[in-house]
Amino acid sequence: MRSIGVGVVGTGFMGAAHAYAFRTAPLVFDLELVPRLEVVADVRREAAEAAARRYGFARAVGSWRELVDDPAVELVSITTPNDSHREIALAAFAAGKHVYCEKPLATDWADAKAMAKAAREAGVSTLVGYNYIRSPAIAYIRRLVQEGVLGEPLYWRGIFEEDFLADPATPFSWRCRRDVAGFGALGDLGSHLVGMAMFVMGPIASVVGDKRTVIPERRDAPSEASAELYGAQIGAAAAKEAMRRVENDDTAHALLNFSSGVTGSLLASRSHWGRKNHLAFEVFGTKGSVLFDQERFNEVQLFLREGDPARQGYSKILIGPAHPPYGQFTPAPGHGLGFNDLKVTEVAHLLEGLAGDTELYPTIPDALEIERVLHAIDRSAAERGWIEVAEVD
Ligand SMILES: NC(=O)c1ccc[n+]([C@@H]2O[C@H](COP(=O)([O-])OP(=O)(O)OC[C@H]3O[C@@H](n4cnc5c(N)ncnc54)[C@H](O)[C@@H]3O)[C@@H](O)[C@H]2O)c1
């Protein structure tokens, strides 16, 4: 069995998910190439040390450069806030290493483009963390659409709502900063939505968008971790309980025209109370429709216009071994997967791609196409009119 040396940069929400997935993927999938957990890095060195102990990395370091330069690391996993993705990825490419990067790629279009160009030139493998498309339910829905079970597709409608910034009393965080996060809900949540739309329905040709910051300022009292990271400037402001202007969108909408002629719409919001991970979409076709909701991602609602109209209605299909790769996790239908299983499936896809057994998707150049749509929505919102996605170049 071959192995590959892995380095994970960052130990927050996604760093933990990546580390867990690297540990777990070989237990769930039959992999030709298995990960060796070599190095974990975090600017908060004690967090890296704790992660090394918990997940079994051989070494913990306080600087991503040390991780990238480590000869035992062949694959660099980037789970830091968006402003550092470009620098870390470019250094990894220069060292000839594969890159697994969290979404979105970067805080602006120029950086995202630079990452895609460098990835192509480096000739290494890349994957971006659009984990929701790894769900067995999504593979099933994609097949329904592609095999024409819904007839001719007519309309796609998607929503991604969370409420982590619904409370005006929630303090300012890195996600509210233009220079660290880039877009707000549009980049954080809308990127998943656009990625999902393109995965199921194909490319998007034109958009008209709108963006709003619904809670314009927040108390500048960052968590200890972000004060340490982003410096005394924030710390001093926090001491005075200053308010700080939110620099990006809480809510973004768009109308979409897919290249296929299908039309659609999307809404992304981080301030809708009660919604925790409401990544939901519907596809309407000439013969039926399908509905998915990530908060209930072990089921799919399917309506088919066939048979006696008196018996027609949405049927609830519980995901099971008939919907790969569910059966890798458990043989019993309807028992359910969880969020981390999507990350495990994503890492298995990555390792299969690195072993040469499958084509990786979405690579960094593929993810640039998702970001092209986000920038088209942003530009359209500023210009107040329709934009051809290809105009973003
Ligand atoms: N795929 C998904 O479903 C998903 C979900 C959440 C976040 N994300 C993405 O993951 C990335 C991280 O988000 P998060 O929620 O894990 O953030 P987080 O704030 O929980 O964690 C970030 C970690 O990076 C560390 N860090 C920051 N700058 C660093 C640097 N220069 N070098 C080394 N370590 C550094 C921090 O100390 C922290 O441990 C973002 O790009 C975000 O958009 C993806």
Side-chain angles (χ1 to χ4, degrees), residues 31 120 139 286:
L31 297 170
R120 280 193 213 95
T286 51

Side-chain angles (χ1 to χ4, degrees), residues 121-316:
E121 288 170 359
V124 294
S125 295
T126 61
L127 185 71
V128 181
Y130 283 100
N131 30 256
Y132 296 112
I133 67 168
R134 303 262 81 95
S135 162
I138 299 306
Y140 174 59
I141 291 172
R142 190 169 186 242
R143 233 176 42 235
L144 292 175
V145 171
Q146 289 180 347
E147 291 174 1
V149 176
L150 305 178
E152 200 61 43
L154 300 173
Y155 195 83
W156 180 92
R157 174 166 62 222
I159 296 176
F160 195 171
E161 295 162 316
E162 295 196 11
D163 67 1
F164 66 92
L165 286 177
D167 188 344
T170 300
F172 193 91
S173 84
W174 69 259
R175 285 189 160 82
C176 305
R177 279 179 66 165
R178 187 74 184 82
D179 61 340
V180 181
F183 299 137
L186 179 63
D188 194 20
L189 308 177
S191 57
H192 278 298
L193 205 45
V194 168
M196 182 72 86
M198 291 172 69
F199 186 66
V200 175
M201 307 299 292
I204 295 169
S206 57
V207 297
V208 61
D210 188 40
K211 295 191 317 172
R212 294 294 152 94
T213 307
V214 297
I215 298 170
E217 53 176 27
R218 293 184 176 275
R219 200 162 47 88
D220 196 2
S223 68
E224 228 171 83
S226 63
E228 193 182 321
L229 276 178
Y230 298 115
Q233 179 209 349
I234 294 178
K240 284 188 267 156
E241 283 285 297
M243 296 301 280
R244 187 164 176 170
R245 191 175 64 82
V246 174
E247 295 166 357
N248 51 25
D249 53 286
D250 292 317
T251 300
H253 298 98
L255 299 181
L256 315 169
N257 284 324
F258 290 85
S259 307
S260 62
V262 168
T263 56
S265 66
L266 68 78
L267 158 67
S269 176
R270 60 190 183 186
S271 54
H272 284 186
W273 272 124
R275 299 304 196 179
K276 304 300 178 186
N277 195 8
H278 189 230
L279 167 54
F281 70 88
E282 290 168 275
V283 184
F284 296 94
T286 51
K287 292 187 189 163
S289 60
V290 68
L291 188 158
F292 170 82
D293 179 351
Q294 178 62 31
E295 286 179 357
R296 307 188 64 84
F297 84 92
N298 288 293
E299 64 188 54
V300 167
Q301 305 280 341
L302 176 64
F303 177 94
L304 292 177
R305 184 183 159 274
E306 56 189 22
D308 180 353
R311 292 188 185 180
Q312 284 173 11
Y314 278 96
S315 56
K316 179 170 79 179

Side-chain angles (χ1 to χ4, degrees), residues 9-15 41-44 47 62-64 78-85 88 102-104 129-132 174-175 187-188 192 225 229-230 339 343 346:
V9 187
T11 63
F13 177 16
M14 277 304 109
D42 201 295
V43 271
R44 296 176 299 123
S63 137
W64 63 261
I78 304 173
T79 76
T80 49
N82 310 337
D83 59 331
S84 48
H85 294 181
I88 302 171
E102 269 310 326
K103 47 54 61 181
Y130 283 100
N131 30 256
Y132 296 112
W174 69 259
R175 285 189 160 82
D188 194 20
H192 278 298
L229 276 178
Y230 298 115
F339 173 82
K343 225 54 190 169
E346 181 172 87

Side-chain angles (χ1 to χ4, degrees), residues 317-338:
I317 297 167
L318 291 181
I319 297 304
H323 309 97
Y326 178 98
Q328 294 295 136
F329 291 88
T330 174
H335 283 50
L337 304 185

